[in-house]
Amino acid sequence: MPAAETIASIPTGSSPHEILSDSARLTHLRLLEAESIHILREVASEFERPVMLYSIGKDSSVMLRLAQKAFAPGPIPFPLLHIDTGFKFHEMLAFRDWMAKSIGARLLVWRNEPAIAAGTNPIKLDTKRCCGLLKTQALLDGLRHYNFDAAFGGARRDEEKSRAKERIYSFRDSAGQWDPKNQRPELWNIYNARIHPGESIRVFPLSNWTEMDVWQYIHQEKIPVVDLYFAKERPMYVRPLGSGQEALLPIEQDFVALPGEKPQMVKSRLRSLGCSPCTGAIRSDAATIPDIIAELISFRSSERANRVIDHDQEGSMELKKREGYF
Amino acid sequence: MATVAAPTFSIHEFLTQEAGKDLLRFSTAGSMDDGKSTLIGRLLYDTQSVYEDQVRSIEGKGTTAPGQIDFALLTDGLRAEREQGITIDVAYRYFSTAKRKFIIADTPGHEQYTRNMATGASTADAAVVLIDARKGVLVQSRRHAFIASLLRVRHVLVAVNKMDLTGYGEDGFRAIEKDFRAVLSRIAEETGNAVDAVFVPLSALAGDNVVHRSERMPWYSGPPLLELLESLPAAQNERGAAFRFPVQRVIRPDHTFRGFAGQIASGAVKPGDEITVLPSGRGAKVSRIATWDGDLAEATAPLSVTLVLDRELDISRSDLIAAKAAPASVASRLKASIVWMNQRPLDARRRYIVKHASHTVPAHVASVDARINVTTLDREPAATLELNHIGAVTLDLLRPIAFDAYAQNRSTGAFILIDPEDNSTVAAGMITAGVAATRAAGNGGNEDVAWGPVTAGERQARRGHSGGVLELTGPGELIDAIERSLFTIGAVTVRVDAESEEFLLHPPLLELVTAAQTRAGLLVLLVREQEDGPLTARAGDITLTLDADDPTHAIAEAHRLLHEAEILLATERSGL
């Protein structure tokens, strides 16, 4: 169970007959929320076996809250699926189990057990092949195992250039692959949900949200997020990268250390949650959501920049997506 | 290194300000070399919406002079287009100013990609059309303005770019404005949708009149482009129109709650409002507007809510809840403007699927009434429509739908056409009118249909199924209901009583008859009525026992069985 002070109690919604007065004011967050709920309901109504990919991060947390809102007062009509690489932070896994339990969601976990048993890691292989086995392959296997025909993901178009062109309903062929030259045109809010057996779609209800929107919504809606997002003294390997840059590597997996490296306590936090060997921390004093938003404003570095995987090859996110990565 | 912002900055003030921002969606379109990517890159860069590492990753690359940043590289996303040096698909960009958040639908201007421009315009409140100051009004600019008007994008901002290359002269700018205003009024005549146009002289490369007012064009007294974008009326999304609410889903967690979930397409709703459910026409009053955050005293478009009514009505996904005082139209024959978006041309012999609001209905094109020449804006006769053609058609739908004309309502007047064979989205449509006529049989008397043998593939495409046998044994009432449900989705069924006298006397005859019918592409319902006992359904090698006490479920299972036996091409999910 994560630390009590960072996990607010989950609001259960107001009593059914309470009347809200401020409904006419449509801010950008209300508009984005309405659009996302529309998408969640469309997919739940038009597909036979939808699933929500739950990655435990801030975007997944927002997506999960939107799903609660979309089907209230009923339950979320699909399960959550977490792709566990075996390298996720312990706090993430504890948070995941706690969250699923407290909102009464059905949680499925899928791991590429043969690859994990074979000792797959980003040092032994390169990050590209490690992600290929532990994320992409595991995701495709998991979706196939349960025969899901639609999978929600929390990806946003503002994250990375190749994602700017992703559809909200992203069609995948029977091998789970994405063809950027052959996407269905998507007009108004009318989505083409037709697929042949074996084909599937990935759905991105947060497509039009920015990183700032996500944090503001978490703040406004008091959505609980993993403690790792908040600054704290944490043991880190500090690795110089030259020209004044450094990498802060959280101590979760022993093999990350180079010879002679010693962990030191650094006040730090994670900007995005990934696998522990490939997710760098940043020095930070941001201990609350408003602190994080203030930090975001002062930042001059986009959020995926401290994820190693996006930079291992020119246009690397696009390549991963073609192969089936989210 | 990250630090919390300076003490003079109040995060709480900032959050209050942010919470009040609204949202404007605009599309951009331009010809290949008129600097559209540069303009967007400039907007993002000058509003500090680009992170430093993104700028670092493109520094020293590109085709601009040394020391200058090639802003176009900030937005060109995909490898393929980077290799070709042109943008090939719609890309969405996000930025915000102190006043407003923006979503840009960045659409390519190459002639091949009309469909992308229509896609970008479909959700836009405004369109930025680029014109190269050296070249004047080209076909591309007319095309962009025409599509924006057709899709009812109300505000067109005409960015006359590359003013730096014409010496920042006023005369050239005024000449372009005069030419293009003439084009715009022709366009408004053709589409029936007024266009509100503003012209801005600018240079995206040099940064003149994009974000900051330029001192190099003192003759221009208007605001720079960004200021115009900040001052346009925000996304009103049909809030002033009559109440329309397509039902997406029935929410019924237990017997105490039954609500209809959807997104308000237009107008507003309050508890106590009288509504009409279409197409059935039954009436009720709204008793609650339920949300996870509590009930609302009023809700307006485009909020997603759940409505509870004051009486039990049989309402399901695909129904439209509308204001009783101003209900929508209902018809099964529609006139519409369509943008054809597929390599395979429109084929009046094929069956298509209309997706409109929250429902899907099989349809075919009764006639192509005209093709619009986007260059001359003339209407020309045409037998078909090809990729990137825009035309007027008459559609026959298998079931009537509730709709408004697109000119009155962008949500309930829009639809897409899907080809059920490969499931591609082949056209975007805007309803111009309903036709109060009974649906014509066959091809609606279309004289243009080619003569020649009808193939099995054509039958399949038209009917949505191949030939096959569904054996049904059980209560006649339930078998009737299954036959009705198949009829409703357009299946061509033939009901054969397996226990009739001639078949009992000559058993091989039954096999001969069903084989001939199957070859003809018919869906044979081989029926054995037994009033007591369960219902069994068999198709191919699969046999199912269906719950006779739950007809809705039994029907859905029968459809699924046909789908699994590869007789039904794709499940018709609506109405099940």
Side-chain angles (χ1 to χ4, degrees):
Chain A
M1 170 75 75
E5 71 268 18
T6 52
I7 298 200
S9 65
I10 305 240
T12 52
S14 323
S15 64
H17 285 279
E18 182 188 338
I19 302 292
L20 302 181
S21 57
D22 190 29
S23 65
R25 226 167 63 95
L26 295 183
T27 64
H28 67 282
L29 288 179
R30 281 278 161 262
L31 296 170
L32 292 171
E33 178 188 70
E35 176 184 83
S36 301
I37 289 175
H38 171 79
I39 295 163
L40 287 157
R41 287 168 169 174
E42 272 308 277
V43 172
S45 303
E46 291 211 296
F47 287 84
E48 286 165 19
R49 296 181 62 83
V51 66
M52 177 170 282
L53 296 179
Y54 177 64
S55 75
I56 314 169
K58 62 184 193 305
D59 304 303
S60 277
S61 299
V62 167
M63 189 163 61
L64 192 55
R65 169 61 57 86
L66 292 167
Q68 286 180 279
K69 290 195 176 195
F71 305 103
I76 298 174
F78 39 75
L80 312 181
L81 174 66
H82 178 230
I83 301 302
D84 183 7
T85 59
F87 287 115
K88 297 299 174 190
F89 292 91
H90 300 309
E91 282 164 279
M92 289 171 68
L93 300 183
F95 181 89
R96 173 195 74 189
D97 296 340
W98 169 81
M99 177 56 101
K101 199 167 165 228
S102 53
I103 67 168
R106 189 173 149 228
L107 173 72
L108 307 170
V109 177
W110 190 266
R111 292 155 56 101
N112 184 349
E113 293 294 358
I116 290 171
T120 303
N121 72 51
I123 312 286
K124 208 165 99 181
L125 303 174
D126 49 53
T127 55
K128 183 173 175 284
R129 283 195 293 161
C130 185
C131 276
L133 286 169
L134 297 183
K135 284 185 172 172
T136 309
Q137 193 57 48
L139 174 62
L140 294 176
D141 291 348
L143 294 177
R144 199 171 302 130
H145 175 84
Y146 291 106
N147 200 20
F148 291 126
D149 55 3
F152 293 106
R156 292 175 284 107
R157 286 175 178 148
D158 86 321
E159 277 178 65
E160 209 264 346
K161 275 197 289 189
S162 83
R163 284 193 163 154
K165 311 208 161 180
E166 183 63 279
R167 300 292 192 265
I168 289 172
Y169 278 35
S170 177
F171 178 78
R172 305 297 163 113
D173 63 19
S174 53
Q177 294 185 344
W178 181 68
D179 178 1
K181 283 203 166 169
N182 193 24
Q183 297 194 81
R184 294 173 179 174
E186 210 163 69
L187 294 104
W188 300 288
N189 61 352
I190 307 176
Y191 303 102
N192 177 351
R194 294 178 68 94
I195 52 170
H196 287 304
E199 296 168 345
S200 61
I201 61 157
R202 308 277 171 85
V203 186
F204 304 108
L206 304 185
S207 285
N208 286 324
W209 295 58
T210 64
E211 186 182 20
M212 182 65 89
D213 297 329
V214 165
W215 281 119
Q216 283 176 18
Y217 192 72
I218 287 171
H219 179 61
Q220 174 185 300
E221 302 285 318
K222 302 183 172 57
I223 298 171
V225 293
V226 183
D227 193 37
L228 290 163
Y229 282 120
F230 300 102
K232 233 188 193 176
E233 296 284 340
R234 293 187 168 90
M236 295 278 160
Y237 294 116
V238 181
R239 192 174 294 169
L241 295 175
S243 55
Q245 306 276 320
E246 63 177 10
L248 294 183
L249 302 172
I251 298 185
E252 282 266 330
Q253 314 288 342
D254 287 342
F255 66 80
V256 172
L258 295 177
E261 261 181 346
K262 288 270 181 298
Q264 42 182 289
M265 295 301 283
V266 181
K267 186 142 195 209
S268 57
R269 66 180 201 89
L270 299 185
R271 280 192 78 195
S272 68
L273 300 184
C275 293
S276 56
C278 292
T279 304
I282 52 166
R283 289 180 191 267
S284 171
D285 295 317
T288 65
I289 304 280
D291 286 352
I292 289 174
I293 295 171
E295 189 184 86
L296 197 60
I297 299 161
S298 68
F299 257 138
R300 285 291 154 254
S301 183
S302 65
E303 70 184 300
R304 298 193 76 90
N306 50 1
R307 287 244 196 131
V308 180
I309 56 167
D310 289 354
H311 305 288
D312 47 19
Q313 210 172 330
E314 173 83 347
S316 64
M317 180 60 87
E318 188 188 336
L319 285 174
K320 284 201 183 65
K321 280 176 54 175
R322 285 189 195 213
E323 288 156 12
Y325 178 68
F326 235 85
Chain B
M1 188 173 105
T3 50
V4 175
T8 50
F9 170 80
S10 160
I11 183 62
H12 297 286
E13 267 171 40
F14 171 80
L15 288 171
T16 310
Q17 183 195 17
E18 282 291 302
K21 281 186 192 174
D22 62 5
L23 183 65
L24 185 93
R25 296 177 192 238
F26 67 96
S27 67
T28 53
S31 306
M32 245 198 297
D33 305 311
D34 57 16
K36 177 175 56 68
S37 294
T38 306
L39 177 67
I40 293 171
R42 169 64 74 178
L43 272 176
L44 298 179
Y45 186 80
D46 282 3
T47 56
Q48 278 106 48
S49 306
V50 195
Y51 293 115
E52 245 170 39
D53 59 332
Q54 288 173 328
V55 176
R56 264 202 310 277
S57 75
I58 59 158
E59 252 168 0
K61 298 177 186 170
T63 54
T64 48
Q68 275 187 320
I69 295 169
D70 186 350
F71 292 108
L73 290 178
L74 283 174
T75 57
D76 281 354
L78 300 187
R79 288 165 73 88
E81 73 193 7
R82 214 175 307 159
E83 282 151 18
Q84 293 168 22
I86 53 163
T87 317
I88 56 167
D89 204 343
V90 187
Y92 295 87
R93 322 276 172 207
Y94 305 83
F95 73 99
S96 75
T97 65
K99 294 197 176 124
R100 175 173 271 183
K101 297 231 170 193
F102 294 95
I103 300 178
I104 313 176
D106 178 15
T107 70
H110 191 282
E111 185 163 3
Q112 288 300 313
Y113 300 104
T114 292
R115 69 170 196 179
N116 295 325
M117 279 185 258
T119 302
S122 72
T123 52
D125 308 303
V128 174
V129 174
L130 268 100
I131 295 180
D132 186 327
R134 297 167 304 171
K135 296 180 184 162
V137 180
L138 301 180
V139 174
Q140 307 295 0
S141 316
R142 308 165 73 103
R143 179 180 294 266
H144 305 154
F146 179 74
I147 289 169
S149 172
L150 187 69
L151 278 279
R152 261 184 78 210
V153 179
R154 222 164 264 141
H155 307 280
V156 171
L157 305 184
V158 185
V160 180
N161 191 25
K162 305 200 182 182
M163 290 299 293
D164 53 327
L165 301 181
T166 61
Y168 296 104
E170 180 175 8
D171 293 351
F173 172 78
R174 295 294 171 207
I176 288 172
E177 176 171 1
K178 186 162 170 280
D179 284 358
F180 205 51
R181 284 207 187 273
V183 171
L184 289 172
S185 57
R186 276 284 332 263
I187 287 173
E189 259 171 57
E190 168 57 38
T191 64
N193 299 323
V195 176
D196 165 27
V198 183
F199 289 72
V200 189
L202 55 84
S203 164
L205 197 65
D208 296 292
N209 283 340
V210 180
V211 171
H212 308 291
R213 195 177 293 266
S214 171
E215 285 166 14
R216 289 180 279 219
M217 288 174 275
W219 48 266
Y220 173 73
S221 56
L225 184 69
L226 183 67
E227 220 171 280
L228 284 168
L229 287 167
E230 283 182 322
S231 61
L232 289 176
Q236 291 301 304
N237 210 341
E238 318 284 1
R239 283 173 75 184
F243 176 65
R244 299 285 184 264
F245 185 81
V247 175
Q248 284 184 279
R249 190 178 178 85
V250 181
I251 292 183
R252 192 171 27 184
D254 53 52
H255 66 278
T256 65
F257 186 92
R258 180 176 156 87
F260 306 103
Q263 182 173 19
I264 302 173
S266 61
V269 65
K270 292 190 302 291
D273 281 359
E274 295 205 65
I275 56 90
T276 299
V277 181
L278 297 170
S280 75
R282 280 165 297 199
K285 274 188 189 168
V286 175
S287 60
R288 290 175 55 196
I289 304 167
T291 76
W292 191 82
D293 299 291
D295 280 15
L296 302 180
E298 185 182 17
T300 54
L303 288 182
S304 286
V305 295
T306 298
L307 298 183
V308 181
L309 303 181
D310 68 340
R311 72 202 71 165
E312 283 273 324
L313 287 184
D314 180 22
I315 298 174
S316 59
R317 177 175 169 81
S318 88
D319 284 331
L320 180 76
I321 297 178
K324 189 187 173 198
S329 311
V330 175
S332 61
R333 175 170 268 212
L334 301 173
K335 297 263 180 200
S337 302
I338 62 174
V339 180
W340 198 257
M341 301 186 147
N342 201 263
Q343 291 290 351
R344 186 148 63 171
L346 182 156
D347 183 347
R349 292 168 305 183
R350 296 176 66 83
R351 191 184 73 129
Y352 295 106
I353 304 286
V354 165
K355 184 157 190 201
H356 167 263
S358 64
H359 54 172
T360 52
V361 186
H364 74 269
V365 178
S367 59
V368 177
D369 305 323
R371 184 171 65 212
I372 295 153
N373 182 326
V374 181
T375 310
T376 61
L377 299 174
D378 291 330
R379 288 184 165 237
E380 299 166 348
T384 183
L385 295 175
E386 291 171 21
L387 177 62
N388 295 315
H389 283 173
I390 295 169
V393 300
T394 303
L395 284 170
D396 274 333
L397 277 57
L398 194 73
R399 290 188 296 278
I401 61 166
F403 68 94
D404 295 287
Y406 188 80
Q408 267 82 57
N409 196 313
R410 261 176 118 181
S411 294
T412 50
F415 64 89
I416 59 171
L417 276 187
I418 300 166
D419 182 338
E421 200 167 299
D422 62 4
N423 290 335
S424 53
T425 301
V426 294
M430 289 133 285
I431 300 171
T432 44
V435 181
T438 49
R439 200 169 53 83
N443 283 304
N446 188 341
E447 301 285 327
D448 296 330
V449 174
W451 294 47
V454 179
T455 65
E458 279 172 15
R459 284 197 188 99
Q460 202 179 16
R462 165 71 60 83
R463 298 167 181 171
H465 62 80
S466 58
V469 178
L470 176 65
E471 286 184 56
L472 295 168
T473 306
E477 206 177 318
L478 197 50
I479 292 172
D480 290 347
I482 289 174
E483 182 175 10
R484 163 68 54 188
S485 73
L486 290 166
F487 178 79
T488 305
I489 63 165
V492 182
T493 58
V494 51
R495 184 158 165 165
V496 175
D497 179 2
E499 290 170 338
S500 70
E501 201 169 302
E502 56 269 45
F503 295 139
L504 289 175
L505 289 174
H506 308 286
L509 190 59
L510 180 61
E511 206 169 310
L512 284 173
V513 167
T514 56
Q517 290 169 332
T518 303
R519 269 200 307 279
L522 302 173
L523 176 48
V524 183
L525 303 181
L526 192 55
V527 169
R528 293 180 183 84
E529 289 196 26
Q530 287 171 8
E531 287 318 316
D532 310 314
L535 179 81
T536 60
R538 191 159 87 102
D541 303 330
I542 318 167
T543 306
L544 285 181
T545 302
L546 306 177
D547 185 356
D549 295 329
D550 186 351
T552 311
H553 184 69
I555 289 168
E557 285 293 296
H559 285 222
R560 213 163 58 88
L561 172 65
L562 287 169
H563 183 48
E564 273 171 26
E566 295 181 347
I567 295 169
L568 268 189
L569 278 184
T571 52
E572 289 290 346
R573 295 177 175 99
S574 68
L576 294 182

